[in-house]
Structure formats: C-alpha cells, structure tokens
Amino acid sequence: MRLLLLLLPLLAAAAAGAARDSDDPFLSGAQANHSYNIDCGGAADFTSAFGRRWLADRFFSAGGNAGMVAEPHRFPQPQERTLRFFPPSSAGKSSCYSLPLAPGRYYLRVFSVYDNYNSKLRSPSFDVSAAATLVLSFRSPWPETAARYGAYSDLIFPSDSSSDSDATDVCFYSLSTDAPVVASIEVAPVHPLAYDGATTGADVVLVNYGRLTCGNGLFGPGFTNDSDAFSRVWQAGTDFRNNDLTYDAITAGGRKIFGSNQPPNYFPTKMYRSAVTTGGDASNEIEYLMPVDTRMSYMVWLHFAEIDAGVRAPGQRVFDVMLAGRNVTRIDIFKQVGGFTAFKWTYIVENLTSSTMSVRLVPVVGRPILCGLENYAMVPLETRTVPHQAAMKALKDSLKIPARMGWNGDPCAPRTWDAWEGVTCHPGNKGLVITQLDLASQGLKGFITDEISHLTDLVSLNLSSNSLTGSLPPGLGQPSLATLDLSSNQFTGSIPGTIGSSKLQTVLLNSNALDGQVPEKLYSVGVHGGVIDLSGNKGLCGVPTLPACALFWEKGGLNKTGKIALGASFGLLLLVILIVVYIVCIRRGPYDYDFEFPQDLTSISAISAKRNRYQRAKSVMLAEMDAHNTDGFYTNGNGNTR
C-alpha cells in the first residue's frame, strides 16, 4: 500500500525561547514518561534552544551510517543537520529504531531531509512503518523544497501492546537500491481518548494529511514559542485554499477564548483566536483542497469559534459543511457553544473517488468562518506476528544473522513487504505465524538456541551448508515440523529423543559430527516412507546402515548403557554392605562379642603390640595354674612349698 505523504516545509528560522514543561510532552526526553527526541546520526546528547533534550541515536538504531546535510547553514536546529542512512547492501532491506514504549497511544513525528548529502543529486524512495503498519511513503523525486529543506511527517499510533517485546519499532524499508534516510524522530504519549480513541484507538493509525491553522502562520513547539500539549505543528492553510475565491482574516481582538486546551485533545488556544472568512460577495464560500489517497478513509476535524463580537445570538451565522461534494451538516456556532468559545466537529469520509478532497463551507445566513482543519488518513493496524518475536530475536543472536539480511522489526509485518529474509509467514488464529525458516548457505557460524521451541507453527527448517556448531537442542521437536535439514554443519553430541514428530517426513542430518544411539522414533521416519540421511556422522550407531553401538564403551569412554550398568553395580554393592551391617551390628545378641576395634588400633604396629601383650598375659596365667597344688598352696618352679 502506498500512502501519499504530506510534506511540511521546514521553517527557515525559529524564534529563540524556551517552552514550558507542561506545554511540551517532548521536553524531558525521559524514559519514565516514554517521551523521546532522537537526533539521528548525532554523536552526542544536547539541549535545543527551545529547552528540549535531544538524544544521540546510538542506543535506538539498528545500524546504518551517520551523515550530514550538504549545506548545514540552511538548517538552524542541530537535529536537522545530522542524518542516518541505511544502504541496503550492508543494512538489509529494513532498518529500525527500537523505542521502549509502554502500551498506549503515541504521537510520532519524523523529519526527513536529503539535501544531496551523498552527492548523487537523487532523493531516495523508501517506506516507513510504525507498530508493524506501513504509514509513510517517500517517492523519488521529492518536491524541491522538501529535498532541500526537509519535511516533517507525523501520526498517532498505538504501541505494540500485543507483542512479547518491550519496545515498538519504527522501521525504514529500502526500495530498489535506495538508502532510506532520516534526520530526527520524536515520540510522546497522547491521551488515550484523543481523536476518538475510544472507538478507533486500538485498531487505527491516524496519519496526518493536513493540520492547518486558517488564520495564523505556522506555529508549534520546536518552531515557535507557542504551546501545544501534544507538540503538534500547525501549518498555515494558505497553500491549501482555493485561491479562485476571496478570503478575509478575523481575530478575537484579545478576548479570552473558552473551552480550548481541554482533554482529551488539548487543541491549542492560539488556533481559535483567529479565523478566515469570506471576502467580497456574501455568497462566497470557503474551500480547502486536501490531498488524499482514494483507498483510505479520512477523519476530518473542523475547528470554529465565534470571535466576531457582532454575532450575539443564534441564527446570525449559519453555514453548511460539504465534504467531497456531499452536504454532511449545518453549523450554527453560537447556537452550539455561544461566543468566544472553542467548538470542534468531526466526520469520517469514506469511498473517495478523487485524489483531492474538497472541504467547503457554504453560507446560509451571514458569512462562514473557520479557525482550523485537520485531515487524518485512517490506516488500519496491520496484523502482526503472534508473540514469538522474542524467540526470533534470540535465534537472530544465536545464529549470528548478518546485518545484510535485515532481521529487524516484526518478522512478518507489514505484509506489503516480504518477511525477514529466509522467513515465511502465514495467517494464524490470532495473527501471523512463522511456518518456514530457510537459511541455507548464509555463512552462519553460531548455534541453535532452544528458544526455537517457541515457534510452534514451524513446518520447515533448513539451516544446511553453514558452519553451525554445538549440540542439537531438544526444542527441535515441534509437533508441527515436517522437514528438518541441518546437513553440512559442525553439530556435535547426540540426537535429542524429542526429534521425531508424527508429521516429520524429511530429516537430513548428514555431514556433521553427531554421535551416540539414534533414537528409534527418529529412525522410524525412514521406516514409514519418509526420507532420512544420517551419513557422515562417524559416531552415530544403533540402526540399520550404521554400526552397532558398543555395549558399554564408545569414543574412549562409557556410553549411556555403560553408565547405567556402572551405577547399578555401585547400587548393588551398597546394598550388600547395608545387609552385612544390619546382620552384624543390629541383630547381635546380648552375649555376642563386641567386635569394635579399640580407638588406638590405627596401624599394623598397634595391632601387633596388643597381640604381644595378650600373649604375655596368657603365659603368666598358665604358669600360675600349674604351680597351684591340691591343698591350696602355690609352688615355685622347682616344686618347693612356700
């Protein structure tokens, strides 16, 4: 889908001054409130003349090269002079800025500039996505003012709250060999109910196709000292008016305007203090011609305030609103809100047939009046990859996917662009699912992370002819897997018993360094008509066409069976010891000898000494018994009576 991009010319000079914190949600740039001002290509953080903190993009960008506009003196603000470009030859077809954003709605503003930074005299063609949805398209050649001075584009989008990632990506997609280019990115939260967020916020991106102040020149934070709570920039409407008609300006004359700067939209008071009305004949109309894409629907906001003190009652100023030739409503501002009070009206235009939408105010009573006009393309939020992005990013790291393959952003969305190189996606029950990974012959030198188990819809995996190492993870046993080709790598270790689902029809593990028993479940793939190739793995065994596995020994050590047998032997020995101890020590009787060794019998010499003392004591006892006569007297050795 190609969207028409409305380019806002760069304001040549901005008045010096500082915006107040409460007026500028971009001001702090702190992560706590998820507001960021990113200087793309900038080398260091800085604070602008308007008091806004700008961050160098090194912590947000996925690569690319830093650059500088050809004529920096034409750009008064530092963040407009630096840029980052993404050559597809090195950065791949997609490059992204990753923004840590909590779930919610955000205002995003992008500044793009060419200014012949690469001396090729040709502005590039590329697309931009936010929340995995294509939102902006730049096509070469750009309008001359945009190419030389730059262009701002902005939109309101919901963050990736359904993703398992903690960040939202803003991605740039190269067309042909063109390098996308960006100078600054600004993002800040908006009220969840802003711009009819209750009914459209979760499912629609609102892309600005024209935000006009009808009675003022361009104003907004970052350009003037005027405040806007969402940091919106309001462009002068003179370039969009039908100049065949005549117009007059009208102001509030310093009178206070009520009802402005209120939630949820916080429309700025400055816009309602001036307006445009018809000049000349009272029958003249007000007409603005807004560029549109006929494939889209548009949310139109019209802003009014009865700032003519001469209108004091209902019915004194009445006019019809006609959008794309259709009369959609009749407006009486005083009847709705009274005098000097902001009044806003919105309408959704569908089924356009022309690339220009006419916004006409036709007088009924008095002259019509208009303070401001907004026109937003309602871009449906695209279906995103179901929450397995964390698994794909882990796989990107473990396989060491080169930057040239462009594995950035959502793996499958936006659908206008192909999925990541080597990735095939299909619609699932809750979003897009990854069904195939074909990364054969890509020079990969990493390993397969077990996070691959989270790709539960994977049907085919081909990582053949790379230099991948390590063991095969158990996570390769997805029930959905039908084709597995890991041939011609450097995988080691045994084949996990988890591999071998009922749907698996092709298994190519040849030309690796795998070893051990081939799981029967895996080998049954070939038995039941599938294709299996295990050749070139000298250590595999246990199935036909491969050597028999040794009973207890393989590759210089015990195999699994040997380890089990050894463990069983130790268990049996321990059991025997326990039985002996039970019989000898526990079941002995009260008159059994105590076989406990004395504490000092700690060596052979000690045991011998004990034996010698025992023998001497025995000899003395026998001698005394022999010397004892029958009448109770002891005798000495020669038989004399004592």
Side-chain angles (χ1 to χ4, degrees):
M1 176 183 61
R2 179 177 177 179
L3 299 180
L4 177 65
L5 175 65
L6 180 65
L7 299 175
L8 301 180
L10 175 68
L11 187 64
R20 294 174 298 171
D21 292 11
S22 60
D23 296 333
D24 189 353
F26 289 151
L27 184 61
S28 67
Q31 295 186 13
N33 65 4
H34 304 288
S35 174
Y36 304 95
N37 306 312
I38 302 172
D39 178 18
C40 303
D45 301 349
F46 69 93
T47 301
S48 73
F50 290 91
R52 302 170 69 190
R53 183 67 175 167
W54 286 87
L55 307 174
D57 66 348
R58 59 185 177 274
F59 298 119
F60 302 94
S61 172
N65 302 321
M68 179 75 69
V69 295
E71 300 179 86
H73 63 274
R74 289 210 306 259
F75 300 86
Q77 303 190 63
Q79 74 275 8
E80 296 172 340
R81 303 168 194 156
T82 59
L83 54 86
R84 186 168 294 276
F85 61 99
F86 304 94
S89 58
S90 59
K93 68 179 181 181
S94 64
S95 300
C96 303
Y97 280 82
S98 185
L99 307 176
L101 299 177
R105 299 180 77 206
Y106 292 86
Y107 176 80
L108 173 70
R109 185 162 70 204
V110 176
F111 179 66
S112 297
V113 61
Y114 175 62
D115 192 38
N116 199 31
Y117 77 92
N118 57 2
S119 302
K120 293 184 178 181
L121 298 174
R122 182 182 179 276
S123 53
S125 296
F126 60 91
D127 289 338
V128 183
S129 73
T133 300
L134 183 63
V135 291
L136 300 173
S137 291
F138 291 79
R139 294 296 180 263
S140 183
W142 299 7
E144 178 63 23
T145 54
R148 293 195 66 190
Y149 298 101
Y152 281 90
S153 311
D154 64 73
L155 52 97
I156 296 173
F157 73 101
S159 67
D160 280 336
S161 58
S162 64
S163 170
D164 58 351
S165 172
D166 58 356
T168 294
D169 295 317
V170 177
C171 298
F172 299 81
Y173 301 88
S174 170
L175 286 174
S176 185
T177 59
D178 289 357
V181 59
V182 60
S184 68
I185 296 176
E186 304 162 82
V187 63
V190 302
H191 196 287
L193 300 180
Y195 292 101
D196 201 20
T199 56
T200 64
D203 302 316
V204 171
V205 177
L206 298 179
V207 181
N208 175 21
Y209 269 62
R211 184 185 300 111
L212 311 179
T213 174
C214 298
N216 297 285
L218 182 146
F219 75 91
F223 294 90
T224 68
N225 290 322
D226 302 293
S227 64
D228 184 290
F230 293 169
S231 204
R232 291 162 293 203
V233 174
W234 297 81
Q235 187 177 8
T238 52
D239 292 338
F240 297 87
R241 290 197 304 227
N242 181 351
N243 290 321
D244 292 335
L245 303 174
T246 57
Y247 305 91
D248 284 337
I250 183 174
T251 68
R255 297 278 296 271
K256 180 180 177 63
I257 302 297
F258 298 92
S260 61
N261 198 33
Q262 298 294 313
N265 295 300
Y266 294 96
F267 293 123
T269 302
K270 181 181 178 68
M271 176 180 57
Y272 295 103
R273 287 176 175 162
S274 60
V276 66
T277 186
T278 59
D281 194 300
S283 63
N284 281 346
E285 304 173 353
I286 295 175
E287 184 176 27
Y288 284 80
L289 303 174
M290 309 302 297
V292 293
D293 185 331
T294 56
R295 294 168 293 182
M296 309 299 299
S297 297
Y298 287 82
M299 178 182 290
V300 177
W301 288 75
L302 300 182
H303 299 278
F304 308 98
E306 185 51 80
I307 55 177
D308 184 352
V311 177
R312 298 185 177 87
Q316 293 183 333
R317 190 194 304 274
V318 182
F319 51 89
D320 289 335
V321 176
M322 302 190 68
L323 299 179
R326 288 169 284 185
N327 192 328
V328 293
T329 192
R330 178 165 289 183
I331 298 290
D332 184 337
I333 304 170
F334 200 97
K335 180 179 180 180
Q336 295 289 336
V337 295
F340 296 93
T341 303
F343 174 62
K344 46 270 183 190
W345 175 87
T346 186
Y347 187 85
I348 295 177
V349 182
E350 300 175 308
N351 303 318
L352 293 169
T353 58
S354 173
S355 59
T356 300
M357 179 177 66
S358 169
V359 179
R360 293 169 55 206
L361 304 185
V362 180
V364 175
V365 178
R367 301 174 185 269
I369 189 175
L370 182 63
C371 296
L373 185 158
E374 296 177 273
N375 185 34
Y376 294 98
M378 303 177 67
V379 182
L381 200 66
E382 292 199 29
T383 302
R384 287 166 278 189
T385 306
V386 293
H388 296 316
Q389 293 191 46
M392 288 298 290
K393 291 179 180 178
L395 198 62
K396 171 186 175 180
D397 294 336
S398 71
L399 295 178
K400 298 182 179 178
I401 300 294
R404 60 175 171 78
M405 297 185 68
W407 274 36
N408 301 303
D410 189 294
C412 303
R415 296 300 300 275
T416 305
W417 287 86
D418 294 334
W420 287 357
E421 184 174 347
V423 178
T424 301
C425 306
H426 287 91
N429 293 331
K430 296 182 179 180
L432 299 175
V433 297
I434 297 168
T435 58
Q436 181 175 338
L437 294 178
D438 187 354
L439 302 173
S441 303
Q442 293 291 344
L444 307 180
K445 297 181 179 180
F447 64 95
I448 304 177
T449 174
D450 198 49
E451 292 292 316
I452 198 171
S453 63
H454 295 294
L455 303 181
T456 53
D457 297 281
L458 192 62
V459 175
S460 176
L461 176 63
N462 184 359
L463 299 176
S464 63
S465 301
N466 286 292
S467 299
L468 299 174
T469 60
S471 59
L472 303 183
L476 287 173
Q478 294 99 324
S480 60
L481 198 61
T483 300
L484 177 64
D485 187 355
L486 305 179
S487 60
S488 300
N489 279 285
Q490 301 170 20
F491 292 114
T492 57
S494 60
I495 300 175
T498 55
I499 301 178
S501 70
S502 59
K503 295 182 179 180
L504 197 57
Q505 295 296 313
T506 301
V507 182
L508 304 178
L509 301 179
N510 52 293
S511 301
N512 281 285
L514 300 170
D515 60 69
Q517 174 79 42
V518 177
E520 293 184 6
K521 184 169 65 170
L522 176 64
Y523 188 73
S524 67
V525 171
V527 175
H528 294 94
V531 177
I532 183 170
D533 188 349
L534 304 174
S535 62
N537 294 279
K538 296 182 179 180
L540 291 179
C541 60
V543 296
T545 73
L546 293 177
C549 294
L551 183 59
F552 296 123
W553 200 260
E554 66 179 21
K555 296 187 70 174
L558 287 172
N559 61 15
K560 185 176 181 180
T561 304
K563 293 176 182 178
I564 293 175
L566 182 61
S569 300
F570 277 116
L572 181 61
L573 178 60
L574 179 61
L575 179 61
V576 171
I577 293 173
L578 291 175
I579 292 174
V580 171
V581 171
Y582 175 77
I583 294 175
V584 173
C585 299
I586 299 177
R587 298 198 59 185
R588 66 180 183 178
Y591 302 103
D592 292 341
Y593 289 104
D594 189 351
F595 287 94
E596 181 180 3
F597 288 102
Q599 294 296 321
D600 59 347
L601 298 185
T602 59
S603 66
I604 298 298
S605 59
I607 295 174
S608 299
K610 291 289 184 177
R611 184 182 299 113
N612 292 337
R613 287 196 297 270
Y614 170 73
Q615 292 294 343
R616 288 196 297 270
K618 180 179 179 182
S619 299
V620 172
M621 181 183 68
L622 292 175
E624 290 179 352
M625 292 176 63
D626 290 341
H628 203 285
N629 58 25
T630 57
D631 55 4
F633 294 96
Y634 291 95
T635 62
N636 58 16
N638 57 16
N640 296 325
T641 304
R642 294 185 177 180

